[in-house]
Amino acid sequence: MKYSLLSNESNESDNTGIFDKKDVFCGVLTLRRLLRMSLGDKFTSGYRGINAFNSGVIKLLVARENDWIEEKLSAILTQSPRIDFEPLIASIVFGRTEGKTSLFKNVECIVPGCSFKIDHTHNGASVSEYIDWNAISYKTLPHDPAEILFQSVSEVVNRNQGGYFVVRLSGGMDSTGILLSLMEAVDVSRIIAITYRYLMGTSNQDEVSARHLCKIFGIRQIIIDFEPHSLFHRLPSPVPPVLNMRTINFKVYEEERKRIGSICVDNYTLFDGHGGDHVFCEKIPFGIIKELFFHGSLLTSCRKLLQIARLHGINMKDVLFMHTNSMHYLITEAQCYFSKDVIKNLHYDRKTVSEERKSALQEAIIDNGTSLTLSLTENDIFPFTDQRMIGYGLKLRVEESFDTTSKRLQYRKAINDRYKFVFTRKDKGHITGAYQSALSVNKDRVINLLRHGQFATHGLLNLEGVERAIETSSHGIGGVSFILMKLIAAELIFEGYL
């Protein structure tokens, strides 16, 4: 059956959705492993469920009358779903927010690590998606993050006897920690490191650091050049309706699979280190100084204020206004991409340190969970969003995670104590230049994608600002905006349904 994202009957004044006025949807991958459900099962008011951490599947629930039903993904393509723009725009500007992962109304996507409950309303039944922090924090955990990492990695190794183990190795703290854990769990002859590089940017430092590690440890390494022409292609097939940034460069993962397969066919497990910076507090919560002042001691708060100032190379006054300045910057940047009506409705609530930490952990969980929607990376393993690691991050003492020169002190110490390995690399490689080159190579393609996409069709974009940003970035000026990349990723997903 043919289907389209825009219906001739859509109300142009309704910027909350697309298609006709139908609110019925289909679609789903299953959680049989955990809940032992079959397709077509109904979830009525009061039902609670969970998608286990690292379950490897995404669950889509679809509204049907007064119930929510689980069905195949293909069913959603025969219906007329409406985009839920409000939470999508908020996640594009401020980061992923708890409660809504699906891009569509009346469809809920439950990613690994998330729970859900069915509530009865006067309009029928609604689904609340959330992370059960109480259940996570209740468990007794090792105090040593290196031990937690080793447990997570070794359990995967024990389940996959006889195969190869591949780690995306940048030479940074997270991927190096995984490599060290793998070397403790399995012989190095079964370990392969894969490293990406873009010679015109700082990501070439990834190659230098990773090559050094592979040389001293005797690890086989694959180097893949990050080619600008590999980005922004149309998806070969539709993916579940969640914002997945890997849709931008899925052809890179095609090359990755091809290169790994030339060595070990399909008999391998791939580890990805995304999430470590979230767990170990790479981003220091804005409210830490204020909370230390009111709930700790004046001396401690002053000492930490000075440490943050020296760590970031700014004065102490700027530290105190970091939250205000950051939010002002985000709103200012958003004005370049969205219409005035959208900007007028954007708001961001100030969070406590605990809430900021939960938001950071949640972002890692959802980032890694939504990456599973791309078939090329659906078998990736993410040790840093293992439930035990998330539990450790939830209890991490933020004020003890940094000093005047370094962050993530607990993790650094744990790796050093266990492996006698000291992290010396301070910079972090970036492939910004590759994205800028890709925008230059594919400028017409990207502009047309956004100019005729769903955001523009519903009057939500500042098209002049969008095209100016693309033009500027394509000339290598000012980096690449995360907002722009997320807009492109969303439109690539919508394009896949046409």
Side-chain angles (χ1 to χ4, degrees), residues 272-315:
D272 190 297
H274 182 67
D277 51 347
H278 300 71
V279 171
F280 301 112
C281 205
E282 177 68 26
K283 180 181 178 182
I284 301 171
F286 294 115
I288 184 64
I289 301 301
K290 180 180 178 181
E291 290 196 13
L292 285 173
F293 180 80
F294 285 107
H295 304 293
S297 70
L298 177 61
L299 180 61
T300 301
S301 62
C302 289
R303 186 174 73 253
K304 288 299 172 181
L305 174 61
L306 180 61
Q307 287 180 350
I308 294 176
R310 290 180 175 175
L311 186 62
H312 291 283
I314 59 179
N315 62 53

Side-chain angles (χ1 to χ4, degrees), residues 169-239:
L169 183 67
S170 67
M173 295 174 64
D174 302 323
S175 60
T176 301
I178 293 174
L179 177 63
L180 292 169
S181 297
L182 269 174
M183 290 169 56
E184 184 180 356
V186 69
D187 188 82
V188 295
S189 64
R190 294 171 59 196
I191 301 174
I192 299 171
I194 189 160
T195 303
Y196 288 91
R197 69 178 176 185
Y198 178 65
L199 295 176
M200 302 301 292
T202 56
S203 62
N204 62 352
Q205 289 300 312
D206 291 359
E207 180 192 6
V208 172
S209 299
R211 276 191 187 277
H212 175 70
L213 291 172
C214 291
K215 181 178 180 180
I216 63 175
F217 293 135
I219 303 296
R220 186 185 312 192
Q221 185 183 29
I222 298 172
I223 302 292
I224 296 181
D225 287 313
F226 202 91
E227 300 288 354
H229 63 75
S230 299
L231 277 66
F232 309 129
H233 288 267
R234 187 185 183 107
L235 294 171
S237 60
V239 298

Side-chain angles (χ1 to χ4, degrees), residues 89 214 242 249 277 306 400 419 423 444:
I89 292 173
C214 291
V242 293
N249 53 357
D277 51 347
L306 180 61
E400 297 176 4
Y419 300 109
F423 294 108
D444 291 341

Side-chain angles (χ1 to χ4, degrees), residues 28 67 112 149 152 195 199 240 247 358 375 434 445 461 488:
V28 213
D67 300 314
L149 181 58
S152 177
T195 303
L199 295 176
T247 56
K358 288 178 180 177
S375 61
R445 151 73 171 155
L461 287 188
I488 295 172

Side-chain angles (χ1 to χ4, degrees), residues 43 171 188 196 270 472:
F43 305 96
V188 295
Y196 288 91
L270 196 151
T472 301

